[in-house]
Amino acid sequence: MSNPITSTLSDEAQKVAGDALQGSLVDLIDLGLIAKQAHWNVVGSQFRSVHLQLDELVTDSRTFVDEVAERAAAIGVSPDGRAETVAKTAATVGFEAGWQQDDAVVGAIVKNLAAVVAALRSRIEATESADPVTQDLLISITARLEQLHWMWQAQQA
């Protein structure tokens, strides 16, 4: 099928923004999946607080996924959130299978948040002149994820 959605961006700007959005999409999908996997498998004395905090991360990730995918569609780029694409291209560091102690869950979430934020920051730079609207979206997502990163890190102190 030919592209039914046209963009006001130049082809080059659309490519830069589209690549940044696609990378962000898969990272955020995987972050949400990791948080949900951790949510189901966390155990330990801090179970309740970590369990609830993971729900917050899942909710934020899912909201960001939709915002990023809809921005991609708005500029004429078909978003690809298929499991195969996420598994092959996400910049996350993953999460172990099975029951996980609360402190290990916190550490894994900190590492995954850091990986996603690092990737987002490079995409913010890439989209600066190509598409400031996409850059603005990525900045707002990064701000929230950095806030969450701080909150998760504080539990390790």
Side-chain angles (χ1 to χ4, degrees), residues 86-144:
V86 173
K88 288 180 179 177
T89 62
T92 50
V93 295
F95 188 78
E96 295 291 323
W99 304 113
Q100 300 293 316
Q101 280 299 129
D102 48 14
D103 60 336
V105 168
V106 170
I109 295 300
V110 167
K111 288 177 185 172
N112 278 287
L113 281 166
V116 173
V117 165
L120 282 164
R121 284 195 161 275
S122 69
R123 294 175 189 128
I124 288 168
E125 289 179 29
T127 56
E128 181 176 7
S129 61
D131 183 21
V133 176
T134 293
Q135 183 191 43
D136 185 57
L137 174 61
L138 299 180
I139 288 170
S140 68
I141 291 168
T142 302
R144 176 62 178 150

Side-chain angles (χ1 to χ4, degrees), residues 12 22 41 52-54 70 79 89 105 107-108 110 120 127 144 147:
E12 182 181 332
Q22 180 59 39
N41 286 284
L52 294 173
Q53 196 173 9
L54 286 162
E70 288 182 0
T89 62
V105 168
V110 167
L120 282 164
T127 56
R144 176 62 178 150
Q147 181 186 36

Side-chain angles (χ1 to χ4, degrees), residues 31-45:
L31 182 62
L33 291 171
I34 287 166
K36 192 47 100 171
Q37 179 69 17
H39 171 87
W40 295 323
N41 286 284
V42 63
V43 295
S45 62

Side-chain angles (χ1 to χ4, degrees), residues 23-92:
S24 299
L25 178 67
V26 296
D27 289 353
L28 293 164
I29 289 171
D30 205 31
L31 182 62
L33 291 171
I34 287 166
K36 192 47 100 171
Q37 179 69 17
H39 171 87
W40 295 323
N41 286 284
V42 63
V43 295
S45 62
Q46 298 301 312
F47 164 81
R48 182 159 172 74
S49 63
V50 172
H51 185 78
L52 294 173
Q53 196 173 9
L54 286 162
D55 271 338
E56 180 182 8
L57 179 55
V58 168
T59 298
D60 284 347
S61 296
R62 288 179 177 168
T63 298
F64 297 150
V65 162
D66 201 43
E67 290 173 355
V68 166
E70 288 182 0
R71 177 66 189 154
I75 64 167
V77 175
S78 175
D80 185 357
R82 297 172 300 153
E84 177 182 356
T85 304
V86 173
K88 288 180 179 177
T89 62
T92 50

